[in-house]
Amino acid sequence: MKAKSIFAGLLGLAVTGTAGHAATTITIATVNNSDMIVMEKLSSQFEAQNPDIRLHWVTLEENVLRQRVTTDIATHSGQLDLITVGIYEVPIWGKLGWLSPFTAIPASYKVDDLLPSIRNALTVDGKLDAVPFYGESSFTIYRTDLLQAKHLTMPENPTWSQIADLAGKISDPAHGVYGICLRGKPGWGENMGTIADIANSFGGRYFDMDWHPLLTSAPWKQAVGFYVKLLKDSGPPGVVSNGYNETLALFASGKCGMWVDATVSASFLNNPATSKVAGKVGYAAAPYATSKVGSHYLWAWTLAVPKTSRKAEAAKRFALWATSPAYIELVARTNGWGAVPPGTRSSTYRNPDYLKAAPYAPAVLAAMQSADPNHPVTQPVPYTGISYVGIPEWQDIGTDIGQQVAAAVSGQMSVDDALKQAQDDTTRAMTQGGYLR
Amino acid sequence: MRRAPAATRLSLSVLGWIVGGITFFPIFWMAITSVKTEAQAISSTPLLFFRPTFENLANMIDGGDYLHFATNSVIVSFGSTAAALLLGIPAAYAMAYYPTHRTKDLLLWMLSTKMMPSVGVLVPVYLIFRDAGLLDTRIGLVGIYTLANLPIAVWMLYSFFRDVPHEILEAARMDGAGFLQQMLWLLLPLAAPGIAATALLTIILSWNETFWSINLTSSDAAPLTAFIASFSSPEGLFWARLSAASLLAIAPILALGWMTQRQLVRGLTFGAVK
């Protein structure tokens, strides 16, 4: 009898133990952006609503994250269940079959509310391979007080020559104010993010329809020549050390008159806690040269589920929660409308509370709606992507071109020599990649 | 021994302070950045005088899960050091006291394994870890750190053991001492400063190792190097938070180095002056 009681007790313990261990733990790999930090903090509400799912966070530096995710997927390790990937990787990885598409999307998610440009960029073979967490484009950011002091006006759609003219007029290096700051640090996600947009608007293509590089073409020489001269005439010293964050820091500390960069910068610059110039910043469309096509980029951080995940259903449930209209309302309730993830949903830009908290929102929406990664330049090209080329070889090629252009900015070589070197390196890389014979 | 002239001594002293100041400056700057706001941290005119805020440090400890990462760092760095010594001491003993004509080649080969970039073997190591179920485990990290530090540990121990006169061990053998007795009562006490220096160096190397810790761990076994890496942001200001994370990450190993500096210097110069 005693033995039976012990057995029954153990069985009971085993049953309750099993019930207690039913929760699925998913590992989420992400970058340390302010929007991601908010998501991590609010995720306890998801766990409360979904007691069968536990979340484990792995926060990594952007390039380390790419390396980790690539290794994990390529070796079928299944260590990561949900990954933060950029809009550049999604189509490439989707075509390789590395991502598990979102097929069963509930009506409450309102998938049609996603901005069409972002949704299209994340759709591979008719299936949504990733869901957008936040999106951005680029536009012109300028100091209203500096322009007003000189009785100058920023056009709504400025040209690059108008920007150069304004930069020259407001530049005051003696008092530590430079007419314009642009990214100069070499890298496919750094200076090339700016240079590609300038080149597009001058009509410069990276490749012709047969994948022959066109970096020594007249539009590229004009575009890079213009960029180098503009920074020499009106830029800050040591430009080649300045990536996005360094330039943001320069503008936020009042050292720049203008800046052409990510629309997401507006929320940092509007915040007095992180910006000395809050309240003195205006926004206009990205400058163009001969064409507005490709003059401003499109980027999004997205959540995707690797095919190797063994907990794909739970991971997708969280991804849909974190990118849903309900999540945006949750952020607004807890952190204010100014803190909601921008650039993903049309409804955000119709919300009067958001428009009040983010006066730059109409300019952001206009930029995002007009950026088309499928048509980055006026002439036909075999690739997609505005500030990047959507092929796996791009990270190496883009970084190499960025290094040659940085050498031209620092005066180590002429613009023509830099582009000739970039053309030779790109031709070699494309031949090795099998695009050219 | 003749003392150097006063001017030479003064110059050397000044030079020592300058070198020390240059070496210490990054740590000093990191420490003061950790108590600035993000706006102060990115000020293009470097700020030396400001009202400090301890918000970043407090946030690290409260919300950054610092203790979890710190515990992992302590376990993997001390665990891998113990394993490296356990394997390295017998290996160095054999090479120092029973050398063959291939001993030098073997030592050089061991050292040559350090010359290969870690990323070159990332995929095979990752696959081995995956198949052995060692990904994101402390035992896996202890294993890889042990292997990474073993060549340096063997080299250091080998040079320290060679400085212990053979005759002492021979005399002990003649008195009937066995291998373990020679080891425990003679060799280890005589080479203790060298062994301590080796241990401290491998602890420091393991504590600071970044590549494997970031690539082979996710959350359970992630040490402080992974903790620091998580504060770098592609978009936004992060220098003050990153400095606070770095300060907290190096604080334990800095304290250990400070407390053991006498032994460390003695060990590293052991046998340097005959």
Side-chain angles (χ1 to χ4, degrees):
Chain A
M1 185 64 201
K2 198 176 174 185
K4 272 186 184 172
S5 304
I6 292 170
F7 178 74
L10 285 173
L11 191 67
L13 270 177
V15 169
T16 49
T18 308
H21 285 92
T24 303
T25 301
I26 59 171
T27 304
I28 304 165
T30 186
V31 290
N32 194 350
N33 282 354
S34 55
D35 290 308
M36 303 296 181
I37 295 167
V38 172
M39 174 170 73
E40 189 176 343
K41 280 183 183 157
L42 294 177
S43 64
S44 58
Q45 303 216 14
F46 171 82
E47 288 178 310
Q49 292 161 15
N50 298 270
D52 56 328
I53 297 176
R54 284 282 162 272
L55 308 174
H56 243 162
W57 296 85
V58 184
T59 311
L60 295 166
E61 192 271 326
E62 184 179 352
N63 290 322
V64 176
L65 176 73
R66 282 199 180 91
Q67 182 183 310
R68 267 302 307 271
V69 169
T70 313
T71 309
D72 194 66
I73 295 176
T75 58
H76 299 276
S77 296
Q79 287 284 299
L80 307 173
D81 302 302
L82 190 63
I83 53 179
T84 307
V85 285
I87 204 170
Y88 158 71
E89 285 96 350
V90 173
I92 297 172
W93 292 2
K95 279 184 187 141
L96 288 169
W98 285 7
L99 303 176
S100 176
F102 289 80
T103 45
I105 300 174
S108 60
Y109 186 76
K110 296 180 183 164
V111 72
D112 291 334
D113 185 36
L114 295 176
L115 288 176
S117 52
I118 296 283
R119 188 180 165 188
N120 290 341
L122 303 178
T123 302
V124 179
D125 298 331
K127 289 175 184 165
L128 195 62
D129 268 352
V131 284
F133 188 67
Y134 82 78
E136 65 183 31
S137 181
S138 53
F139 60 4
T140 305
I141 304 162
Y142 62 95
R143 287 275 300 280
T144 49
D145 57 329
L146 294 182
L147 261 66
Q148 275 165 10
K150 300 263 179 180
H151 306 291
L152 299 168
T153 314
M154 173 66 73
E156 229 171 90
N157 288 286
T159 62
W160 273 111
S161 59
Q162 285 172 323
I163 290 286
D165 185 44
L166 289 170
K169 286 176 179 162
I170 59 173
S171 201
D172 186 7
H175 292 95
V177 177
Y178 301 91
I180 187 160
C181 298
L182 296 172
R183 298 186 202 187
K185 187 194 272 184
W188 74 273
E190 289 286 10
N191 62 348
M192 291 311 294
T194 298
I195 292 161
D197 293 356
I198 300 176
N200 290 336
S201 81
F202 272 86
R205 294 180 291 165
Y206 279 110
F207 301 101
D208 68 13
M209 289 303 284
D210 296 319
W211 291 105
H212 290 105
L214 296 170
L215 295 163
T216 48
S217 61
W220 265 98
K221 286 184 180 176
Q222 287 163 10
V224 176
F226 174 83
Y227 166 81
V228 171
K229 186 172 183 310
L230 178 64
L231 287 174
K232 275 186 181 157
D233 291 348
S234 308
V239 170
V240 292
S241 306
N242 297 343
Y244 172 79
N245 280 329
E246 291 81 2
T247 317
L248 171 67
L250 275 176
F251 198 99
S253 57
K255 302 289 176 190
C256 309
M258 287 182 286
W259 181 26
V260 180
D261 216 306
T263 52
V264 76
S265 318
S267 57
F268 296 111
L269 298 174
N270 237 28
N271 182 353
T274 50
S275 167
K276 281 185 187 171
V277 295
K280 300 176 193 166
V281 185
Y283 308 94
Y288 67 97
T290 56
S291 164
K292 288 182 188 171
V293 177
S295 63
H296 47 290
Y297 67 76
L298 186 75
W299 184 259
W301 278 113
T302 74
L303 297 175
V305 178
K307 261 274 164 61
T308 48
S309 169
R310 288 178 277 275
K311 301 154 190 169
E313 192 278 324
K316 282 178 188 173
R317 214 192 310 168
F318 176 72
L320 290 173
W321 177 85
T323 58
S324 66
Y327 174 79
I328 289 179
E329 281 167 23
L330 175 66
V331 177
R333 272 201 310 279
T334 52
N335 295 34
W337 275 101
V340 304
T344 57
R345 290 184 169 273
S346 302
S347 56
T348 306
Y349 292 88
R350 289 194 300 268
N351 188 302
D353 293 326
Y354 180 65
L355 295 175
K356 199 172 156 191
Y360 42 82
V364 175
L365 181 65
M368 295 207 61
Q369 283 177 326
S370 55
D372 183 0
N374 292 319
H375 299 97
V377 63
T378 45
Q379 286 184 277
V381 286
Y383 55 85
T384 58
I386 299 171
S387 58
Y388 57 85
V389 175
I391 56 173
E393 292 79 2
W394 171 248
Q395 294 187 47
D396 288 340
I397 292 172
T399 298
D400 180 76
I401 300 170
Q403 284 166 348
Q404 306 311 330
V405 175
V409 172
S410 62
Q412 289 171 24
M413 56 169 66
S414 69
V415 169
D416 285 1
D417 287 347
L419 288 174
K420 169 79 175 55
Q421 185 65 51
Q423 171 82 5
D424 292 346
D425 293 347
T426 307
T427 304
R428 196 175 309 117
M430 294 304 280
T431 307
Q432 285 171 355
Y435 295 83
L436 301 174
R437 287 189 180 176
Chain B
M1 199 174 86
R2 237 179 63 208
R3 274 170 72 94
T8 309
R9 279 186 285 135
L10 184 69
S11 310
L12 285 173
S13 183
V14 169
L15 188 68
W17 277 102
I18 291 172
V19 171
I22 292 170
T23 311
F24 181 68
F25 184 76
I27 296 169
F28 164 73
W29 198 251
M30 180 184 69
I32 65 165
T33 305
S34 70
V35 289
K36 288 179 178 175
T37 62
E38 291 295 354
Q40 287 168 336
I42 51 113
S43 169
S44 49
T45 316
L47 294 177
L48 259 179
F49 302 101
F50 56 93
R51 183 193 290 268
T53 169
F54 294 94
E55 196 184 333
N56 293 319
L57 291 164
N59 284 346
M60 292 299 134
I61 294 168
D62 290 346
D65 218 359
Y66 169 76
L67 284 177
H68 166 72
F69 290 95
T71 308
N72 285 340
S73 273
V74 170
I75 291 170
V76 295
S77 53
F78 280 81
S80 62
T81 298
L85 288 180
L86 210 64
L87 294 169
I89 287 173
Y93 171 82
M95 289 186 206
Y97 295 106
Y98 303 100
T100 68
H101 65 287
R102 290 194 190 278
T103 297
K104 280 268 155 61
D105 296 340
L106 189 63
L107 278 164
L108 277 174
W109 172 79
M110 285 179 77
L111 202 63
S112 72
T113 59
K114 295 292 292 174
M115 295 169 193
M116 188 177 194
S118 301
V119 72
V121 288
L122 172 62
V123 172
V125 168
Y126 200 89
L127 288 171
I128 292 167
F129 267 59
R130 180 198 67 182
D131 295 343
L134 292 172
L135 285 171
D136 201 20
T137 62
R138 290 167 182 161
I139 191 78
L141 220 49
V142 166
I144 199 86
Y145 284 2
T146 303
L147 293 174
N149 288 331
L150 203 52
I152 289 169
V154 170
W155 260 93
M156 284 183 74
L157 292 166
Y158 170 76
S159 58
F160 293 134
F161 287 171
R162 272 173 59 96
D163 288 330
V164 176
H166 282 216
E167 292 77 12
I168 297 177
L169 294 183
E170 275 173 18
R173 272 199 295 274
M174 286 174 74
D175 287 342
F179 168 74
L180 268 180
Q181 286 165 313
Q182 287 174 55
M183 233 353 160
L184 293 174
W185 301 115
L186 283 172
L187 189 61
L188 294 186
L190 284 168
I195 294 169
T198 307
L200 284 169
L201 195 70
T202 50
I203 287 170
I204 292 167
L205 289 172
S206 301
W207 192 277
N208 293 336
E209 201 286 329
T210 309
F211 181 80
W212 292 116
S213 67
I214 286 178
N215 280 288
L216 298 178
T217 67
S218 300
S219 52
D220 290 348
L224 283 167
T225 41
F227 176 72
I228 299 175
S230 71
F231 287 94
S232 168
S233 172
E235 281 182 341
L237 304 177
F238 60 87
W239 291 112
R241 281 183 296 137
L242 187 68
S243 298
S246 302
L247 186 69
L248 286 173
I250 66 162
I253 203 74
L254 209 63
L256 183 72
W258 189 273
M259 286 187 296
T260 58
Q261 57 179 314
R262 187 174 291 177
Q263 290 85 340
L264 196 60
V265 171
R266 192 173 156 219
L268 289 173
T269 55
F270 184 67
V273 182
K274 299 267 181 183

